[in-house]
C-alpha cells in the first residue's frame, strides 16, 4: 500500500504517461456520464457523478464474441476462438460502489470454473476509484449495504479529491504500477493531507440521504414472505423493461446466441449478450412451462438473488447501493422502499 | 464409476466437433440421435455419469442442453432423445446422418451411482422423461450384479408416444427386471398393458424394501406431485427419491443465471435433486 498526493494540475501529465494503456475517463454525454476512451479528456470533471452504464461493461461487455464459425469447401466447419485482445486498460472515476460491484462479479465469474473471457479483461484492467464527495445520486444508499463513499474494495487505487490535489492511495500492485509510470508527479503525503482526506470521507458519509435499515435481516424476511402476495402488489407496475438489471453494476446474467452472416456457405459467430431475469422468457422452457411465470416471481427473484441467495453463497449482498435501478425505473419501483416494506410486512 | 472428463477445460464455451452417425424418429416429434466426437481419442475417453447432460450446438441456430440417454458403460457413442420444440431442435431435425454438430460437457451432477450400488432401483418415467432415465437404466442392466431389484414404471400419453416402446416390451421378458407400462389413452386398440397415468402402476410393485430403495423420477412437471405421493406412501426416504429436473440453461457452468433456483444452479448442483431438496427449495419444479 502506497499513499501519495498529486496536484490536479499534474493530473493530465499522469494520464499522458499511461501510453501503454487504454484509458477510460468519465465524459459528459447528453444522457449523463459515460466512461470514454476518447483521449482528449485528461481530467475528471468536478461535477462528475457516476456513469449511467457502470464499469462492468468494460470487463463484461454487453456483447462478447465467443467464436466465429465458417463452413469450408469440404463441408467441415471451422471454429475460430475469439478471445479479448491483450490490451491493458485503466478506468478512472470508478465510484466505490462500482468497485465493490466488480469484486462481487469476480466471485461469480471465478469459482469452480473461471470464465476465460471475463478474466482476460479483468486481469488487464486497473480500476482507479474516486471517493464520493457528494452522493452521485439522490438514491445512493451504499452505507446500508456494507459499503461507503470511500470503500476500497475491488479498487486498485482510491483517489480522494482534496480541492487542488488528489489523495492517492495505491491498493494493489496494479495500482502501484500506475503510479510508477510518472513517479515525479506524486508527492509524499503530509499529516495535513491525511487529516483532510479523513474529513472529506466523513463528510461524504453524512451527505447520504437514503437508507435501507436492517439489510442483514432481509434474508430471513424474504424467506418468510416468499409465498405471500406481497410480491404481486410490489411488482404490479413492472413493465419488464429490464433496465434495473442491465444497468445494475452487479447483475451478470447473460444469454448465448448465434448470429449468422451467411447461410451458404455458413458463416457467423456465437455471442454472449447481457440478459435479465426480468424478461418472461428468461426461464421459459421450450415446452412452454415457466417456473417463474409472472412479474411477482421475477421481482422476487431479483431481490432474493441480491439479498438472500448471494448472502448464502458468499456472505455479502449482491447490491452495492448505487441507486441506479431506482433512478432509472420508468414506473418508480424503488428497491429501498420495496425492501423496507418487505421487512415490515406482517408487523 | 470413473470420474467424468470435461471437454475443452480451458474454454468450455468452445464446442467440440461431433458427427451424427445415426438419427431416426422415435415418435412423431421425438428423434433419436447417435453422436460421436470427431476426435477418436476424445470420443473414447469422454466420461460422464448417468443423469448428466451435454450442450449441443447447431452452428447458426444456437445451442441447447440435452440429457444424455446413452450409458457410460458403453463408451464411444453418445445418444440423445430430442423433441422438436424450438430453434435448435428444429435445426437438429433438419440435419442428416453424417452432419457435424458441436458438443460440450458433460454438465450437472448426475445420479449418485456409487450410493445406489447394492440397492434396489425403482425408475418412474413419464413421457420424454425416458431420455435421462434410459442412461441409468442401461447402466444398471450393464452392471446388473451391482444392483438389487430393478423396477421400471413407464407412462406415456399414447402407445405411439412411448419412446423405445419395443425396447421396453423386450425388457418385460427379462426375469431380472420388473417392467410395467401404461398409456393415458389407447388409440390403437391393440395396447395390451395398463391404461391410465403412471401412478396406476404402483399397485403392481410389491414388497418394496423402502430403506434399501432408490426411486428415480423424470417426467413432465405436473407428474412429480402425484408420483412423489406414491413414493412417500411406500416409505422410501426423502433423500433416496431422486428427480432429474428441467431448466432453461445457456452456459452450463453456473454463470449465466438462467437455471438459478434459490442459491443453487441447476447446471452445477442439478439436474438431479432429491425430494428433500424439493421440499427446501421453492420454484424447483
Amino acid at each position: 500500500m502506497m499513499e501519495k498526493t498529486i496536484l490536479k494540475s499534474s493530473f493530465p501529465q499522469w494520464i499522458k504517461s499511461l501510453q501503454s494503456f487504454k484509458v477510460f475517463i468519465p465524459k459528459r454525454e447528453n444522457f449523463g456520464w459515460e466512461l470514454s476512451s476518447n483521449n482528449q479528456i485528461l481530467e475528471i470533471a468536478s461535477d462528475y457523478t457516476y456513469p449511467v452504464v457502470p464499469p462492468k461493461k468494460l470487463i463484461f461487455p454487453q456483447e462478447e464474441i465467443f467464436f466465429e464459425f465458417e463452413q469450408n469447401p469440404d463441408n467441415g466447419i471451422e471454429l475460430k476462438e475469439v478471445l479479448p485482445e491483450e490490451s491493458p486498460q485503466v478506468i478512472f472515476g470508478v465510484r466505490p460502489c462500482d468497485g465493490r460491484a466488480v469484486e462481487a462479479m469476480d466471485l461469480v465469474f471465478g469459482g469452480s470454473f473461471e470464465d476465460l473471457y471475463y478474466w482476460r479483461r479483468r486481469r488487464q484492467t486497473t480500476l482507479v476509484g474516486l471517493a464520493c464527495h457528494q452522493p452521485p445520486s439522490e438514491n445512493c444508499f451504499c452505507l446500508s449495504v456494507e459499503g461507503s463513499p470511500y470503500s476500497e474494495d475491488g479498487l486498485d487505487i482510491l483517489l480522494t479529491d482534496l480541492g487542488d490535489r488528489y489523495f492517492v492511495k495505491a491498493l494493489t500492485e496494479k495500482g502501484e504500477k500506475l503510479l510508477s509510470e510518472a513517479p515525479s508527479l506524486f508527492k509524499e503525503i503530509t499529516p495535513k493531507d491525511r487529516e483532510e482526506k479523513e474529513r472529506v470521507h466523513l463528510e461524504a458519509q453524512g451527505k447520504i440521504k437514503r437508507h435501507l435499515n436492517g439489510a442483514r435481516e432481509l434474508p430471513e424476511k424474504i424467506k418468510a414472505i416468499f409465498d405471500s402476495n406481497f410480491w404481486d402488489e410490489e411488482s404490479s407496475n413492472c413493465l419488464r423493461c429490464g433496465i434495473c438489471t442491465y444497468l445494475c453494476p452487479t447483475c451478470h446474467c447473460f444469454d448465448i446466441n448465434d448470429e449468422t452472416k451467411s447461410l451458404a456457405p455458413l458463416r457467423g459467430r456465437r455471442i454472449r449478450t447481457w440478459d435479465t431475469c426480468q424478461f418472461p422468457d428468461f426461464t421459459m422452457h421450450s415446452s412452454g412451462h415457466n417456473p417463474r411465470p409472472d412479474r411477482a416471481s421475477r421481482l422476487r427473484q431479483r431481490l432474493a438473488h441480491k439479498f438472500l441467495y448471494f448472502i448464502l453463497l458468499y456472505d455479502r449482498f449482491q447490491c452495492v447501493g448505487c441507486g441506479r435501478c431506482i433512478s432509472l425505473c420508468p414506473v418508480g419501483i424503488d428497491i429501498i422502499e420495496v425492501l423496507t416494506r418487505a421487512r415490515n410486512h406482517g408487523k | 464409476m470413473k470420474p467424468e472428463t470435461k471437454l475443452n477445460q480451458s474454454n468450455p464455451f468452445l464446442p467440440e466437433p461431433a458427427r451424427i452417425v445415426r438419427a431416426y424418429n422415435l415418435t412423431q416429434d421425438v428423434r433419436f440421435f447417435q453422436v460421436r466426437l470427431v476426435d477418436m481419442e476424445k470420443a473414447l475417453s469422454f466420461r460422464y455419469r448417468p443423469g448428466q447432460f451435454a450442450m449441443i450446438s447447431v452452428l447458426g441456430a444456437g445451442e441447447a442442453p440435452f440429457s444424455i440417454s446413452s450409458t457410460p458403460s458403453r463408451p464411444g457413442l453418445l445418444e440423445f432423445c430430442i423433441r422438436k420444440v424450438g430453434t435448435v431442435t428444429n435445426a437438429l431435425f433438419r440435419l442428416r446422418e453424417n452432419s457435424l454438430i458441436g458438443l460440450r460437457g458433460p454438465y450437472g451432477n448426475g445420479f449418485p451411482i456409487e450410493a445406489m450400488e447394492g440397492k434396489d432401483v425403482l425408475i418412474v418415467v413419464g413421457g420424454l422423461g425416458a431420455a435421462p432415465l434410459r442412461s441409468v437404466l442401461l447402466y444398471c442392466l450393464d452392471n446388473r450384479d451391482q444392483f438389487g431389484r430393478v423396477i421400471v414404471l413407464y407412462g406415456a400419453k399414447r402407445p405411439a408416444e412411448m419412446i423405445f416402446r419395443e425396447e421396453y416390451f423386450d425388457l418385460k421378458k427379462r426375469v431380472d427386471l420388473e417392467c410395467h407400462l401404461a398409456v393415458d389413452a389407447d388409440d390403437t386398440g391393440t395396447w395390451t398393458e395398463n391404461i391410465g397415468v403412471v401412478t396406476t402402476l404402483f399397485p403392481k410393485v410389491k414388497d418394496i424394501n423402502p430403506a434399501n430403495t432408490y426411486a428415480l423420477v423424470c417426467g413432465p412437471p405436473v407428474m412429480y406431485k402425484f408420483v412423489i405421493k406414491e413414493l412417500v406412501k411406500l416409505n422410501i426416504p426423502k433423500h433416496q427419491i431422486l428427480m432429474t429436473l428441467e431448466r432453461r440453461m445457456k452456459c452450463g457452468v453456473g454463470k449465466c443465471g438462467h437455471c438459478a433456483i434459490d442459491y443453487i444452479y441447476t447446471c452445477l448442483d442439478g439436474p438431479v435433486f432429491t425430494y428433500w431438496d424439493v421440499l427446501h427449495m421453492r420454484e424447483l419444479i
Side-chain angles (χ1 to χ4, degrees):
Chain A
M1 192 193 66
M2 188 193 279
E3 291 179 319
K4 301 274 180 186
T5 59
I6 184 172
L7 283 171
K8 282 192 181 166
S9 55
S10 305
F11 200 78
Q13 276 169 272
W14 185 25
I15 306 283
K16 278 186 200 158
S17 76
L18 305 176
Q19 296 289 342
S20 53
F21 297 89
K22 194 170 181 184
V23 176
F24 289 84
I25 295 186
K27 183 183 179 205
R28 195 194 321 266
E29 295 288 352
N30 51 17
F31 56 83
W33 293 93
E34 188 191 28
L35 297 168
S36 163
S37 62
N38 166 353
N39 47 23
Q40 307 292 310
I41 308 172
L42 299 170
E43 58 186 10
I44 302 175
S46 60
D47 58 346
Y48 165 62
T49 54
Y50 62 14
V52 175
V53 186
K56 78 171 177 187
K57 71 162 186 178
L58 299 175
I59 301 167
F60 169 55
Q62 185 161 5
E63 183 183 303
E64 174 126 67
I65 304 169
F66 274 175
F67 57 83
E68 291 169 341
F69 49 87
E70 186 161 10
Q71 202 165 20
N72 54 32
D74 59 359
N75 265 342
I77 294 177
E78 255 175 76
L79 290 190
K80 201 181 115 219
E81 186 183 37
V82 181
L83 289 174
E85 289 168 43
E86 291 287 348
S87 141
Q89 57 181 2
V90 182
I91 312 173
F92 279 93
V94 178
R95 291 300 184 181
C97 53
D98 289 343
R100 295 186 71 226
V102 173
E103 200 181 51
M105 204 171 275
D106 287 350
L107 296 169
V108 175
F109 286 104
S112 62
F113 150 66
E114 292 207 342
D115 188 299
L116 194 58
Y117 297 84
Y118 178 88
W119 285 102
R120 265 282 170 110
R121 285 204 171 75
R122 180 72 177 99
R123 295 204 172 99
Q124 298 190 79
T125 304
T126 308
L127 298 171
V128 183
L130 178 60
C132 299
H133 245 259
Q134 293 284 338
S137 149
E138 58 190 12
N139 291 314
C140 285
F141 63 105
C142 59
L143 291 174
S144 309
V145 283
E146 297 167 2
S148 83
Y150 46 89
S151 163
E152 297 166 354
D153 300 347
L155 300 172
D156 297 297
I157 293 178
L158 179 67
L159 303 178
T160 304
D161 189 337
L162 303 182
D164 62 339
R165 63 200 189 286
Y166 288 109
F167 190 99
V168 184
K169 187 170 179 183
L171 301 153
T172 63
E173 251 174 63
K174 269 197 234 169
E176 285 178 11
K177 180 166 184 301
L178 222 55
L179 267 56
S180 70
E181 298 285 334
S184 62
L185 301 177
F186 295 91
K187 293 185 196 154
E188 293 305 317
I189 52 162
T190 63
K192 188 170 161 275
D193 292 329
R194 189 186 293 278
E195 204 175 289
E196 229 175 297
K197 178 202 75 170
E198 297 296 330
R199 185 178 52 78
V200 167
H201 285 179
L202 277 179
E203 276 177 18
Q205 198 164 310
K207 290 176 190 161
I208 291 173
K209 293 192 196 77
R210 299 206 63 189
H211 301 282
L212 169 65
N213 295 323
R216 279 278 171 177
E217 294 165 30
L218 284 165
E220 282 309 311
K221 192 67 202 189
I222 291 171
K223 266 192 237 171
I225 62 169
F226 199 89
D227 294 316
S228 87
N229 61 2
F230 173 80
W231 308 102
D232 295 278
E233 290 160 19
E234 295 293 343
S235 64
S236 61
N237 288 340
C238 177
L239 302 173
R240 300 174 283 196
C241 72
I243 197 91
C244 50
T245 43
Y246 269 62
L247 296 183
C248 170
T250 65
C251 276
H252 62 268
C253 288
F254 60 83
D255 200 359
I256 304 174
N257 284 296
D258 286 6
E259 272 184 359
T260 310
K261 286 189 186 124
S262 136
L263 280 172
L266 180 68
R267 202 155 53 83
R269 56 193 197 170
R270 177 158 298 166
I271 56 165
R272 141 157 94 192
T273 51
W274 291 353
D275 201 353
T276 165
C277 58
Q278 300 307 295
F279 290 161
D281 66 355
F282 187 75
T283 48
M284 175 90 89
H285 296 186
S286 48
S287 66
H289 174 70
N290 193 346
R292 278 201 286 276
D294 47 26
R295 282 180 278 222
S297 56
R298 291 191 287 267
L299 175 70
R300 183 179 63 197
Q301 170 64 17
R302 175 164 79 92
L303 303 190
H305 195 180
K306 295 187 180 304
F307 287 89
L308 167 59
Y309 309 146
F310 211 75
I311 290 176
L312 292 172
L313 285 172
Y314 306 113
D315 192 30
R316 63 185 285 166
F317 299 109
Q318 201 207 20
C319 168
V320 292
C322 72
R324 286 185 181 89
C325 60
I326 306 173
S327 309
L328 297 163
C329 178
V331 296
I333 293 177
D334 183 323
I335 192 169
I336 301 174
E337 287 179 13
V338 175
L339 291 173
T340 303
R341 282 194 289 269
R343 210 163 70 86
N344 296 326
H345 190 74
K347 274 189 188 163
Chain B
M1 271 212 70
K2 291 186 181 145
E4 61 170 52
T5 46
K6 278 214 169 41
L7 295 167
N8 291 329
Q9 191 74 49
S10 66
N11 185 3
F13 293 127
L14 274 191
E16 183 67 26
R19 193 179 300 285
I20 298 176
V21 293
R22 201 162 173 223
Y24 57 87
N25 274 29
L26 293 170
T27 73
Q28 212 175 6
D29 61 351
V30 178
R31 203 163 161 77
F32 181 67
F33 290 89
Q34 255 181 352
V35 172
R36 211 204 75 190
L37 292 167
V38 172
D39 184 320
M40 188 58 154
E41 214 143 281
K42 286 183 180 169
L44 288 172
S45 63
F46 185 80
R47 304 221 184 287
Y48 59 98
R49 308 171 65 87
Q52 285 194 298
F53 65 93
M55 301 292 294
I56 291 183
S57 282
V58 182
L59 293 175
E63 198 177 37
F66 298 98
S67 43
I68 304 173
S69 293
S70 48
T71 166
S73 48
R74 302 176 195 178
L77 287 176
L78 293 168
E79 295 169 345
F80 300 90
C81 307
I82 295 172
R83 175 171 281 156
K84 187 165 143 183
V85 279
T87 320
V88 176
T89 51
N90 269 287
L92 259 177
F93 271 58
R94 282 195 294 271
L95 293 180
R96 292 160 193 273
E97 283 163 353
N98 206 25
S99 297
L100 286 178
I101 57 171
L103 193 135
R104 56 189 186 93
Y107 296 125
N109 55 357
F111 289 106
I113 292 292
E114 291 82 359
M116 288 161 54
E117 278 174 13
K119 301 286 197 310
D120 297 341
V121 179
L122 167 60
I123 295 176
V124 187
V125 186
L128 200 53
L133 292 179
R134 181 172 181 266
S135 178
V136 70
L137 173 61
L138 294 180
Y139 184 90
C140 291
L141 296 178
D142 286 356
N143 300 280
R144 190 64 194 84
D145 57 334
Q146 291 175 22
F147 299 91
R149 282 169 77 184
V150 177
I151 308 160
V152 179
L153 309 180
Y154 182 3
K157 275 186 192 155
R158 282 181 296 275
E161 288 184 41
M162 179 167 276
I163 61 176
F164 304 112
R165 193 172 59 242
E166 280 72 28
E167 254 180 58
Y168 282 95
F169 273 95
D170 283 343
L171 289 180
K172 283 183 71 72
K173 296 173 195 151
R174 283 180 72 144
V175 290
D176 57 354
L177 179 98
E178 299 155 61
C179 178
H180 305 287
L181 309 176
V183 292
D184 295 357
D186 173 30
D187 50 3
T188 62
T190 57
W191 183 252
T192 51
E193 306 302 308
N194 219 60
I195 293 186
V197 293
V198 70
T199 44
T200 61
L201 295 172
F202 273 88
K204 293 182 187 280
V205 184
K206 303 275 190 259
D207 307 320
I208 285 283
N209 174 0
N212 197 49
T213 301
Y214 269 87
L216 279 43
V217 190
C218 188
V222 60
M223 185 186 92
Y224 290 98
K225 139 170 113 185
F226 300 104
V227 170
I228 287 173
K229 209 189 266 175
E230 297 294 332
L231 297 172
V232 170
K233 245 191 265 171
L234 290 172
N235 285 321
I236 297 175
K238 292 186 183 78
H239 66 275
Q240 285 171 206
I241 300 177
L242 307 174
M243 285 160 265
T244 163
L245 300 177
E246 191 187 347
R247 210 76 183 178
R248 188 185 172 107
M249 291 175 191
K250 284 291 183 170
C251 75
V253 289
K255 310 289 177 205
C256 80
H258 284 262
C259 71
I261 316 161
D262 211 314
Y263 64 93
I264 59 135
Y265 287 91
T266 311
C267 67
L268 298 179
D269 309 294
V272 176
F273 292 100
T274 67
Y275 180 41
W276 197 250
D277 297 327
V278 172
L279 285 176
H280 287 82
M281 271 178 283
R282 280 162 290 193
E283 296 185 333
L284 206 51
I285 297 177

